[in-house]
């Protein structure tokens, strides 16, 4: 009971912080500067210098002379009083500097979306679970699959849209697909409703008892169990992420494009690592369950098979293994044999991953797909299949040393991301939009962290 009360206190503090974010979004000069800097100067209705001049003087009438009519109209509609402390800004060109009404609408939309998610998962828990596994339970969940596919379209901000699409449209739908056949992380009959909802809508995976089989190495060859990420490591990664976000945001125009793309690689790694680790830490603390680590030092991978299968984003790898790899291998083994079935299943997993990434990017950019993202994963799938064939041919008789295999692996992932992964983002401007929103959220979190910390300590 004490833990529940403490969790409610923390949640209330976070809710108050969110309300405060809405209130300060457009009254804080650094945030205003950040938002306005996301659009070309010609597209801004009013310059930062005009704003500062009026705010410092505190008298609209003295500043009216000499300003364009469009600026006068904008100021008359947004000026509230004659003091600098109560200036409220409502620039809304191209959605870069959000107005108060748009922020309020987005918060309402986000709340409505997650209420629908919670209700849908309650339906799955109380009703669909009572239907026998198989096609009838799958049919009962089809409305949920459809709803989860369209929910991200109700959001406009890039960052919450991306998170909702990843957590719900991809992971939750795939987990519910497994649940239709009494498989996957949602199937244990003793699972409580809170754990069911958290497991479905968060990127977490509870630890399962480890059973050895013919496809796994003997215990003597297994890697030691990965320990949970320490709070110090997570704090360091968060600090580096915040620093790089600021550096890219403020100096992107003067950096060489290849340097920017290299920084984007680091940002993608750190952002995924921090978000998944925070979800793991929060879920583990509130529900007292032991969770699998989200990744295992992917920057140390010595092969593409090692990178995609054992190190990078293990939750997605495990989800694809159960929803795509195993079914495709099982079906195709009867027609082409187990050896070729495994390679076909690997290729199918990469194709599905590419299509899901293409869908996620569509939610964020709202532009027609160029299929470069799918091409990135298809290319890596082909290379993983070739790598598996070579390993099988040499049968362990010859192996590249670590000093060669490591830079080749990391270099290939980085080079192909420059070629196929990032161009769809940079062309649409989604990279600037996400970094700007993330930076604003970071500024807000830095200023208001003490609200939550105070509740935790008290």
């Amino acid at each position: 009971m004490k833990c529940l009360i403490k969790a409610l206190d923390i949640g209330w503090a976070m809710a108050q912080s969110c309300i405060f974010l809405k209130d300060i979004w457009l009254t804080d000069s650094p945030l205003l500067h950040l938002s306005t800097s996301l659009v070309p100067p010609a597209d801004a209705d009013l310059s930062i210098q005009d704003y500062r001049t009026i705010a410092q003087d505190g008298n609209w009438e003295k500043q009216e002379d000499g300003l364009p009519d469009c600026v006068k109209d904008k100021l008359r509609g947004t000026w509230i009083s004659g003091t600098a402390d109560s200036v409220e800004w409502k620039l809304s060109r191209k959605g870069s500097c959000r107005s108060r009404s748009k922020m309020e609408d987005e918060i309402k939309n986000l709340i409505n979306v997650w209420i629908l998610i919670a209700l849908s998962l309650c339906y799955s828990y109380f009703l669909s679970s009572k239907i026998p596994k198989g096609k009838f339970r799958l049919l009962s969940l089809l409305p949920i699959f459809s709803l989860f596919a369209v929910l991200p379209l109700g959001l406009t901000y890039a960052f919450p849209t991306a998170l909702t699409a990843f957590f719900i449209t991809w992971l939750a739908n795939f987990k519910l697909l497994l649940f239709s056949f009494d498989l996957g992380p949602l199937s244990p009959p003793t699972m409580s409703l809170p754990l069911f909802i958290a497991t479905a809508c968060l990127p977490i995976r509870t630890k399962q008892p480890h059973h050895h089989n013919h496809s796994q190495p003997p215990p003597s060859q297994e890697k030691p169990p990965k320990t949970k990420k320490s709070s110090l490591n997570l704090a360091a990664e968060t600090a580096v992420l915040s620093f790089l976000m600021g550096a890219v945001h403020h100096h992107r125009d003067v950096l060489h494009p290849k340097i920017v793309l290299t920084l984007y690689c680091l940002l993608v790694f750190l952002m995924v690592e921090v978000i998944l680790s925070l979800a793991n830490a929060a879920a583990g603390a509130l529900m007292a369950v032991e969770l699998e680590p989200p990744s295992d030092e992917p920057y140390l991978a010595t092969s593409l098979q090692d990178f995609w299968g054992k190190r990078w984003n293990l939750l997605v790898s495990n989800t694809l293994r159960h929803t795509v790899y195993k079914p495709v291998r099982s079906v195709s083994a009867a027609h082409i044999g187990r050896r070729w079935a495994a390679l076909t299943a690997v290729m199918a997993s990469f194709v599905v991953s590419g299509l899901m990434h293409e869908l996620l990017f569509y939610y964020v950019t709202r532009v027609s797909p160029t299929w470069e993202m799918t091409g990135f994963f298809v290319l890596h799938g082909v290379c993983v299949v070739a790598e598996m064939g070579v390993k099988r041919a040499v049968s362990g008789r010859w192996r590249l040393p670590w000093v060669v295999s490591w830079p080749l692996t990391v270099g290939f992932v980085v080079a192909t991301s420059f070629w196929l992964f990032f161009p769809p983002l940079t062309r649409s401007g989604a990279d600037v939009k996400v970094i700007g929103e993330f930076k604003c959220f970071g500024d807000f979190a830095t200023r208001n962290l003490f609200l939550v910390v105070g509740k935790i300590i008290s």
Side-chain angles (χ1 to χ4, degrees):
M1 179 60 69
K2 290 183 178 179
C3 293
L4 178 60
I5 294 174
K6 181 67 70 176
L8 291 174
D9 285 343
I10 295 172
W12 175 244
M14 296 177 73
Q16 289 178 310
S17 298
C18 291
I19 295 173
F20 183 62
L21 169 63
K22 179 192 70 174
D23 291 337
I24 69 164
W25 185 267
L26 295 171
T27 59
D28 187 288
S29 182
L31 293 180
L32 173 70
H33 187 281
L34 173 65
S35 300
T36 308
S37 64
L38 297 179
V39 297
D43 292 332
D45 288 342
L46 195 63
S47 67
I48 291 296
Q49 189 57 47
D50 292 331
Y51 164 78
R52 287 176 177 164
T53 302
I54 296 170
Q56 290 170 2
D57 185 86
N59 190 334
W60 156 247
E61 298 298 335
K62 292 183 179 180
Q63 303 299 329
E64 187 173 1
D65 294 336
L67 291 176
D69 290 339
C70 62
V71 173
K72 295 178 185 178
D73 294 337
K74 176 65 69 173
L75 278 173
R76 289 183 180 127
T78 56
W79 187 259
I80 291 179
S81 70
T83 61
D85 292 336
S86 61
V87 174
E88 178 170 286
W89 210 243
K90 294 184 178 178
L91 285 178
S92 58
R93 289 297 293 259
K94 291 190 177 181
S96 295
C97 187
R98 274 79 174 184
S99 67
R100 175 184 291 271
S101 61
K102 188 169 185 179
M103 172 62 73
E104 290 175 345
D105 290 342
E106 184 71 357
I107 292 174
K108 292 176 182 177
N109 290 340
L110 191 59
I111 292 173
N112 291 336
V113 163
W114 282 89
I115 288 175
L116 285 174
I117 292 169
L119 292 175
S120 300
L121 293 174
C122 288
Y123 162 84
S124 304
Y125 182 83
F126 288 112
L127 297 180
S128 294
S129 62
K130 309 305 180 187
I131 301 174
K133 65 179 181 180
K135 59 182 180 181
F136 292 110
R137 186 185 295 182
L138 179 63
L139 287 174
S140 73
L141 289 171
L142 286 181
I144 306 302
F145 296 147
S146 304
L147 177 64
F148 284 2
V150 300
L151 283 179
L153 297 175
L155 302 171
T156 55
Y157 283 57
F159 192 62
T161 300
L163 287 185
T164 303
F166 176 51
F167 290 2
I168 304 304
T169 306
W170 185 351
L171 295 181
N173 266 345
F174 277 40
K175 292 174 186 177
L176 289 174
L177 179 62
L178 292 173
F179 175 68
S180 301
F181 302 94
D182 252 356
L183 301 172
L186 302 178
S187 298
T190 58
M191 180 174 285
S192 64
L193 176 61
L195 184 57
F196 182 90
I197 293 177
T199 304
C201 68
L202 291 178
I204 60 175
R205 183 163 67 103
T206 56
K207 283 194 174 182
Q208 303 294 327
H210 192 67
H211 302 288
H212 297 292
N213 57 46
H214 64 277
S215 64
Q216 294 173 321
S220 60
Q221 298 179 15
E222 287 183 355
K223 294 170 62 178
K226 183 70 178 175
T227 57
K228 185 173 65 173
K229 182 183 291 292
S230 69
S231 300
L232 184 61
N233 287 346
L234 181 57
E237 289 179 347
T238 305
V240 173
L241 174 63
S242 179
F243 171 78
L244 291 179
M245 282 286 186
V248 172
H249 173 73
H250 292 295
H251 306 293
R252 183 178 184 275
D253 294 336
V254 299
L255 293 174
H256 191 277
K258 292 294 188 293
I259 296 178
V260 173
L261 292 178
T262 302
L263 292 176
Y264 280 2
C265 290
L266 294 174
L267 288 175
V268 168
F269 161 69
L270 289 171
M271 194 180 299
V272 171
E273 185 80 358
V274 168
I275 291 172
L276 298 187
S277 296
L278 287 175
N280 256 25
L286 292 177
M287 295 182 295
V289 293
E290 193 174 7
L291 302 172
E292 296 282 358
S295 63
D296 184 9
E297 299 175 329
Y299 46 83
L300 297 180
T302 56
S303 69
L304 291 178
Q305 191 179 3
D306 181 37
F307 178 86
W308 292 111
K310 300 177 181 178
R311 291 185 177 273
W312 173 249
N313 208 343
L314 297 178
L315 177 66
V316 170
S317 298
N318 182 71
T319 303
L320 291 172
R321 183 177 298 114
H322 290 285
T323 55
V324 181
Y325 176 82
K326 288 184 177 180
V328 171
R329 186 186 64 177
S330 177
V331 170
S332 57
H335 304 283
I336 58 178
R338 291 182 58 84
R339 177 180 178 181
W340 291 105
L343 300 181
T344 302
V346 168
M347 198 67 229
S349 300
F350 276 93
V351 171
V352 171
S353 180
L355 293 174
M356 293 308 300
H357 278 83
E358 204 82 59
L359 179 62
L360 297 186
F361 280 26
Y362 171 76
Y363 286 132
V364 173
T365 62
R366 308 293 167 90
V367 298
S368 299
T370 60
W371 307 111
E372 291 166 284
M373 187 65 57
T374 303
F376 172 83
F377 285 95
V378 169
L379 173 62
H380 277 256
V382 171
C383 292
V384 168
V385 168
E387 186 180 273
M388 293 171 64
V390 171
K391 287 181 179 179
R392 185 172 296 165
V394 300
S395 299
R397 295 188 301 269
W398 180 77
R399 188 173 183 176
L400 284 176
W402 182 86
V403 294
V404 176
S405 61
W406 171 70
L408 282 178
T409 301
V410 176
F412 182 80
V413 173
V414 171
T416 52
S417 68
F418 285 11
W419 175 32
L420 294 170
F421 190 89
F422 291 115
L425 288 177
T426 55
R427 279 198 302 268
S428 64
D431 56 332
V432 177
K433 188 177 180 182
V434 170
I435 290 175
E437 292 179 4
F438 200 93
K439 184 68 169 59
C440 287
F441 176 79
D443 292 342
F444 153 73
T446 302
R447 290 171 180 157
N448 299 280
L449 184 61
F450 70 91
L451 292 174
V452 177
V453 172
K455 287 291 184 180
I456 296 175
I457 296 176
S458 61

